[in-house]
Amino acid sequence: MESLHRFCKHLPKIELHAHLNGSIRESTLVELARERSVSLPAKLLQHEAEHHDADRDALFFNTKPRSLEECFEIFSYIPKCVDDVAALKRITREVLEDFANDNVVYLELRTGPKVLLMDHCAPEMGSCSKKQYLQTILSIMSLFENQEKDRHNHDMSSSTEKLVRLPMTPRLIVSVDRSGTVEQAQENINLAIQMVALYPDHVVGVELGGNPTRNDFRRFEPLFQKARDHGLLISIHCGEVPSATDEFDTSDTTLKKAYEEASAVLQFRPDRLGHALLLPNDLMNKLMQQPIPIECCPTSNVMTLELALHHGGNLIGGLKMHPQLQKWIERKYPFSINTDDSGIFCTNLTKEYLLVAKVFGLHENDLADIAIRAVDHIFDKPKRDALIDLMANRIEKLKNQS
Ligand code: 6MZ
């Protein structure tokens, strides 16, 4: 493994934008589908075999069909496979393990609560409510957090390894799907308010995601205001689809609506923004004056915008075309690097850091800086100082080793 890759792997990282069901391991999805006789679409399983021989480069190639539209078609198959409590427990545990093994020290996992079967083999056992869905995830998170602490203490006392893996702290964000109804959104927000009262240390926020071509943030705004009034922090996906260039550009009603929506999102001033990659210049300039931290998901952006298509699936070529990232890096805009849907985009946080480093010529110090600055954006504010100490310490050790 080259030394920058090794550095990215061992760098303690913060993940702030990961959708639970989108982070499912592909192998698990295939297994769950087989058990349930669900036939998955061919595009989900298309592999970039032609690049696997060039091992080093294979890291940066993704020829899978993953346009925005294709992603949402794939997402529609996941609930058919993750349809009962056992499957939910399995994917939650695996996703936590995958992030922890990638040296993520703090993870905010987001998911939209769903009604599942208790057991897909015994439908007569009835269903698991949305509240039970969240409680199932929270109980796995809490168990995992304790196991991580124990494992770390044990390894510290028994291992001679200098870079014993640090423990990961997982937290939960409750999602609202913008393609659903206002009533469904209300149900999720009310549930999030209930859950933060019951599990104040583990439920940290709410978010708006889902197919960006459906509906509009403004329909849901009063609900997010209510969540804010109850102390929940808020992240809103925005700028995932093209918009008019400014408020006077009236060329197309869809573009105009996208502009007005993005403008309303910024005016609401969420605590973080998801993606924000196609924001028009005037809105981006306003943000530069009064920044809101942005959750950037490099591979996801390249794939959904189809930027790699013209480069034979080369993510490096694709990321060079990213509409914003270069500017954010140069101007030290507050952004974090994230995976979005590691299972759908075949990625992990190590790959994302390495990709950004390769494309924008960043060095170890720059990457460490990005990772540490992301701590300022976490929703579990009381964890901030301890995390910074933990990360700074580890980064110092890492640098001494290289
Ligand atoms: C918007 C996205 C997304 O909630 O079932 N989701 N929403 N933009 C994206 N960028 C590609 N990626 C994922 O996780 C899966 C759900 O997260 C949202 C979609 O609504 C998707 O169905 P959960 O755990």
Side-chain angles (χ1 to χ4, degrees):
M1 195 187 277
E2 65 162 315
S3 85
L4 190 59
H5 189 170
R6 189 180 162 280
F7 181 83
C8 291
K9 169 83 187 162
H10 288 284
L11 179 67
K13 296 175 283 294
I14 303 283
E15 167 72 58
L16 301 179
H17 190 124
H19 298 271
L20 170 61
N21 282 274
S23 305
I24 188 172
R25 289 180 193 162
E26 189 182 285
S27 54
T28 298
L29 183 58
V30 169
E31 223 176 286
L32 294 175
R34 199 180 321 117
E35 285 169 12
R36 288 155 180 78
S37 308
V38 172
S39 53
L40 296 170
K43 61 168 65 85
L44 200 145
L45 305 167
Q46 266 173 30
H47 282 277
E48 61 272 39
E50 68 268 30
H51 295 297
H52 279 174
D53 46 343
D55 224 11
R56 231 156 46 89
D57 284 348
L59 261 183
F60 301 114
F61 275 89
N62 192 341
T63 53
K64 291 186 173 188
R66 295 288 184 269
S67 67
L68 199 60
E69 206 186 326
E70 283 156 341
C71 282
F72 281 93
E73 190 196 332
I74 291 170
F75 289 143
S76 71
Y77 282 86
I78 301 179
K80 295 186 174 99
C81 304
V82 185
D83 65 345
D84 68 0
V85 175
L88 176 66
K89 285 184 173 169
R90 174 174 174 182
I91 68 159
T92 306
R93 202 185 51 249
E94 289 180 353
V95 168
L96 296 180
E97 281 168 5
D98 290 347
F99 279 110
N101 286 327
D102 197 28
N103 292 304
V104 169
V105 288
Y106 174 88
L107 161 72
E108 282 177 15
L109 193 59
R110 53 184 70 192
T111 191
K114 296 165 187 61
V115 176
L116 304 180
L117 292 168
M118 278 296 179
D119 179 348
H120 81 282
C121 296
E124 70 282 2
M125 284 180 68
S127 55
C128 150
S129 67
K130 284 184 169 190
K131 183 172 176 181
Q132 287 168 321
Y133 175 99
L134 294 179
Q135 284 175 322
T136 302
I137 295 170
L138 285 163
S139 69
I140 291 192
M141 278 186 165
S142 148
L143 183 67
F144 187 86
E145 191 174 346
N146 291 333
Q147 285 172 343
E148 275 287 271
K149 282 182 199 148
D150 292 346
R151 192 252 330 136
H152 182 250
N153 288 339
H154 174 266
D155 290 355
M156 287 294 282
S157 58
S158 63
S159 165
T160 51
E161 167 70 59
K162 282 215 177 73
L163 296 177
V164 164
R165 187 168 66 67
L166 297 171
M168 183 181 83
T169 304
R171 294 290 179 259
L172 183 67
I173 293 178
V174 178
S175 303
V176 169
D177 182 351
R178 57 184 289 151
S179 68
T181 62
V182 171
E183 288 68 30
Q184 287 164 336
Q186 188 163 24
E187 197 185 350
N188 291 11
I189 295 284
N190 287 342
L191 202 47
I193 291 169
Q194 249 187 62
M195 298 304 273
V196 78
L198 290 172
Y199 308 91
D201 296 336
H202 289 87
V203 178
V204 291
V206 290
E207 68 109 24
L208 181 68
N211 192 333
T213 62
R214 307 272 166 81
N215 286 330
D216 191 312
F217 163 71
R218 287 168 288 182
R219 287 182 74 167
F220 305 108
E221 184 171 345
L223 296 173
F224 281 95
Q225 184 56 50
K226 181 175 171 189
R228 176 178 274 167
D229 296 341
H230 281 82
L232 284 155
L233 296 190
I234 298 168
S235 172
I236 307 284
H237 279 67
C238 79
E240 280 192 276
V241 289
S243 85
T245 51
D246 58 41
E247 60 186 309
F248 308 109
D249 175 1
T250 54
S251 51
D252 174 303
T253 50
T254 310
L255 296 178
K256 195 169 162 54
K257 191 190 138 276
Y259 179 90
E260 288 165 359
E261 183 187 1
S263 193
V265 170
L266 299 196
Q267 216 161 4
F268 180 73
R269 292 204 64 80
D271 302 281
R272 292 199 309 252
L273 297 170
H275 303 301
L277 73 159
L278 292 175
L279 282 186
N281 282 341
D282 65 337
L283 295 185
M284 197 62 234
N285 290 340
K286 274 191 198 160
L287 258 190
M288 287 283 178
Q289 305 301 318
Q290 278 192 302
I292 298 173
I294 291 174
E295 304 150 358
C296 178
C297 308
T299 297
S300 161
N301 291 172
V302 168
M303 297 306 287
T304 57
L305 293 186
E306 304 175 70
L307 299 175
L309 264 191
H310 308 293
H311 302 270
N314 184 343
L315 296 170
I316 292 184
L319 193 61
K320 283 185 184 151
M321 317 274 291
H322 191 284
Q324 307 284 357
L325 191 48
Q326 172 129 35
K327 185 166 60 193
W328 294 341
I329 292 171
E330 280 168 7
R331 302 199 195 166
K332 287 206 178 295
Y333 188 91
F335 74 91
S336 52
I337 298 178
N338 306 280
T339 55
D340 203 6
D341 300 291
S342 53
I344 304 303
F345 297 117
C346 272
T347 193
N348 58 39
L349 207 46
T350 293
K351 277 198 202 179
E352 295 300 314
Y353 272 78
L354 186 58
L355 179 63
V356 171
K358 295 264 172 201
V359 171
F360 300 104
L362 303 187
H363 303 291
E364 293 181 357
N365 282 342
D366 308 313
L367 297 174
D369 208 39
I370 291 174
I372 291 263
R373 280 196 291 140
V375 182
D376 281 331
H377 317 164
I378 67 171
F379 282 175
D380 187 349
K381 300 297 177 196
K383 274 232 87 142
R384 180 187 174 276
D385 292 350
L387 264 179
I388 289 185
D389 282 352
L390 188 78
M391 291 172 71
N393 230 306
R394 174 51 53 99
I395 290 166
E396 204 47 48
K397 272 194 195 153
L398 253 181
K399 283 186 190 155
N400 290 338
Q401 282 212 338
S402 58

